[in-house]
Amino acid sequence: MKIAINTSGAGSRLMYARHYDGTLNGIAHPRPRFAAALAVAAWAAIGAGAFQKLYVTIHFKDTVALRAFWTEAPFRRIPGLRQLLFEVEARTKPGDRVLLWTPHRPWQGGYGYAFRRAQYVLAGRDVIPLLDRARDVVDERNIDRATYIACWPACPPIPGFDVMWRSEHGTLLRRR
Amino acid sequence: MRRPLQLIGETYLLGSAALAFSLMAFSVAGIRWSRTVVIVAAIMILIASILAIRRQRPFEWPSLGWANLIDLLTLALIAGYVRVTTLAPPAEADFYAIWGAKAKQFFMTGGIDWRFLADPLNFPSHVDYPILQPLLYDVQALLLGRWPDERWLGLVHIAASGAALLVIRGYLADEMPKLARAAATLILMPLVFSPFFGLPEGLLAVYGTLALLFLRRAIRDDDAGLALRGAVYLGLAASCKNEGLSLAIAIALALLLTRPRFVIRLWPALAIALPWLLLRSYYGLRNDLVQEGLMGRMTAHLTHPGPMLRALVEVPHGSNLFWIGVVLACAIGVRRLVREERFLALAILGQLLFFIGAYIVTPNEVVWHVRTSWERLARQLLPAVALLALLVTVIRFRVGDTNATDS
């Protein structure tokens, strides 16, 4: 059966689709072959440009190494931070008040990097910053609010707290 | 006649969003989230969906043909995407600082944590942004009964993108022959499935593209039902990110310029977006772009636009080949673009201008802001841009004369 098509032209609105052969050559135009070739070229360019090689090559990659790399990537600027935070998550419970101690300064591009990640991993706990974000200085009053202190890479001596857990990635202190 | 694959796609997209919004309603009503509460809500939404589906026309089952061999390539790419997204947790910093942080905090506290959102310490986490994506993560976590391994949060993105591709495929059945729509589906796959897994750009692209498509056809066919569907998807786009809200304005402006009486039909979009807008106003959740000094920043960036424009040019915009194809397609179909696709083109252009407007008023260092966001923002529009290019270069069938089955 012939298929009627509606062309975009304002003149003849109906024509028989003698150009349409079930392929992309069916693209309509007053000069069908040339226009269709251009249209196919446009589609091919859009398709090639949109194509993501990774969706094919992923099946041939070393996914174990890739998984390790991608898992660490969001924490890469502070090696060991990810392990520290997950250890702290396992050793504390929702509602606990955990202060994050790292030596990075200032907040923007420094301490904030660690603090935002700690907020995610330790969600449900009250994650307390060491720095006052507005003034960008250490606020030691925040230590008084904490029941735990998670330190990267290690804690300085802090009166009133005992070491609860320690590894190469950091230390967790608990209020006595 | 209805297309079952399109129906599956739309049922998932609308049903999952309804479930996420029910969490917001529970929170406002003071009901603590739990697995039981979500399951009850899911059953109610399922029953409503079945009742709605039963009242409609019969199915038009797809017929397979040689063109479907192209679909095997599309499926292979989707399999690759699934492998990539489920291989490891999201790598995007904003997942940890914004989207994942909110979702996990809400899950742990059993509801939307207004104290967390209102805390000035968390202002950089874009506390005013709509929360559909965090709520979708929470639905998954509640059904699972615990916070999932982050790599499985990718299921939310995979399901939404897959559902959207089914809907688009069904939509194209009325626009182009079978081989062409199979090729179009293959082309669109990497654009609809967002590489920014963990961020709401993918969901926004999905809902925004469907809104544009249904509204485009509503204008063309003067169909109030399609306008309603488009407006619902627009409301969902506006519930993903503030850029979704700007898309709603861009679409309203495009309608004003092309078919003004359709603007009023966008009311469902407002109805869907309004609860969050009211809640964020009630809790005083501020937006960083409009903080003090707006006029000064605007003046400074407009009088010295050089750094911003240079950064816009320098940041990757996707493959050059893609844009060459788009320009070529628009050149071939320029008459159709101007006469028939004005709405789609104007809406896309309007949204691009909103993106640039955000840079003009940004309180951040503008070059840094452009470099860290432009590629992501541009990607929100790529499915719509590609569809515009494909639609202006292809014949349109007279539906009555064709058996436009999709498969």
Side-chain angles (χ1 to χ4, degrees), chain A residues 1 3-4 6 10 14 20 22-23 26-28 38-39 43 49-50 55 67 74 89 116-117 119-121 123-124 133, chain B residues 80-81 87 90 93 96 100 104-105 108 120-122 124 147 150-151 177 179-180 190 319 332 339 393 395-398 401:
Chain A
M1 187 184 117
I3 299 171
N6 184 4
L14 286 175
Y20 175 54
T23 70
I27 290 162
L38 280 180
W43 280 45
Y55 300 161
R67 174 177 294 163
E89 185 195 25
R116 295 295 171 212
R117 281 150 183 79
Q119 274 189 313
Y120 170 77
V121 177
R133 193 174 79 85
Chain B
Y81 180 87
L87 193 60
Y96 295 92
K104 194 172 177 186
Q105 182 70 21
M108 298 301 290
L121 183 66
N122 299 324
W147 188 251
E150 285 80 4
R151 66 198 182 102
L179 181 63
S319 155
I332 297 165
R339 290 183 184 177
T393 46
I395 57 170
R396 192 170 69 225
F397 281 73
R398 291 203 317 156
D401 294 343

Side-chain angles (χ1 to χ4, degrees), chain B residues 81-407:
Chain B
Y81 180 87
V82 171
R83 192 97 193 268
V84 168
T85 49
T86 57
L87 193 60
E92 299 288 340
D94 280 358
F95 169 81
Y96 295 92
I98 306 174
W99 310 103
K102 286 181 195 172
K104 194 172 177 186
Q105 182 70 21
F106 297 170
F107 174 75
M108 298 301 290
T109 51
I112 299 171
D113 188 349
W114 300 108
R115 185 196 55 82
F116 176 86
L117 295 177
D119 188 340
L121 183 66
N122 299 324
F123 179 64
S125 297
H126 292 297
V127 289
D128 65 305
Y129 271 20
I131 54 172
L132 179 55
Q133 175 167 302
L135 292 179
L136 285 169
Y137 286 160
D138 287 327
V139 168
Q140 185 183 350
L142 286 163
L143 288 173
L144 190 65
R146 62 182 164 78
W147 188 251
D149 180 334
E150 285 80 4
R151 66 198 182 102
W152 295 113
L153 292 174
L155 292 178
V156 166
H157 300 270
I158 293 163
S161 305
L165 205 60
L166 289 177
V167 179
I168 293 170
R169 178 60 174 268
Y171 182 96
L172 293 180
D174 296 329
E175 302 283 342
M176 54 183 75
K178 187 166 186 166
L179 181 63
R181 62 181 182 263
T185 311
L186 177 63
I187 290 169
L188 290 168
M189 181 271 149
L191 303 174
V192 173
F193 286 73
S194 169
F196 297 106
F197 143 58
L199 305 185
E201 325 300 317
L203 289 175
L204 178 48
V206 159
Y207 296 131
T209 304
L210 294 183
L212 285 164
L213 288 179
F214 282 118
L215 287 167
R216 164 191 175 270
R217 189 172 285 170
I219 293 170
R220 193 188 72 188
D221 299 349
D222 200 15
D223 187 325
L226 287 173
L228 175 74
R229 269 158 93 184
V232 167
Y233 284 116
L234 186 56
L236 298 183
S239 303
C240 287
K241 244 189 139 185
N242 282 354
E243 289 91 317
L245 292 166
S246 70
L247 179 66
I249 299 169
I251 284 179
L253 291 173
L255 283 175
L256 274 176
L257 292 170
T258 51
R259 196 67 66 91
R261 69 187 171 84
F262 265 75
V263 174
I264 196 73
R265 292 187 175 160
L266 294 182
W267 68 264
L270 183 64
I272 292 170
L274 195 61
W276 173 253
L277 296 178
L278 293 175
L279 285 168
R280 81 178 190 187
S281 168
Y282 177 77
Y283 286 100
L285 308 180
R286 291 175 298 123
N287 180 275
D288 61 341
L289 294 180
V290 294
Q291 60 183 283
E292 205 177 329
L294 177 81
M295 292 309 290
R297 295 195 301 274
M298 238 170 94
T299 312
H301 291 146
L302 286 174
T303 46
H304 303 287
M308 181 183 80
L309 295 176
R310 263 196 302 279
L312 279 170
V313 172
E314 284 166 8
V315 169
H317 299 73
S319 155
N320 287 339
L321 203 53
F322 174 84
W323 291 109
I324 290 168
V326 169
V327 170
L328 180 60
C330 290
I332 297 165
V334 66
R335 277 208 316 188
R336 190 157 175 186
L337 182 72
V338 173
R339 290 183 184 177
E340 298 179 34
E341 305 295 355
R342 252 182 315 172
F343 161 72
L344 201 49
L346 284 171
I348 291 170
L349 190 65
Q351 178 70 340
L352 276 173
L353 292 176
F354 274 118
F355 290 165
I356 293 168
Y359 293 134
I360 290 172
V361 298
T362 182
N364 300 305
E365 204 281 303
V366 68
V367 173
W368 171 86
H369 196 174
V370 172
R371 285 192 178 143
T372 54
S373 63
W374 178 243
E375 190 183 2
R376 266 190 299 117
L377 296 185
R379 257 207 95 90
Q380 294 171 9
L381 286 174
L382 289 193
V385 169
L387 273 161
L388 177 66
L390 301 183
L391 288 169
V392 295
T393 46
V394 80
I395 57 170
R396 192 170 69 225
F397 281 73
R398 291 203 317 156
V399 176
D401 294 343
T402 63
N403 177 20
T405 51
D406 186 41
S407 53

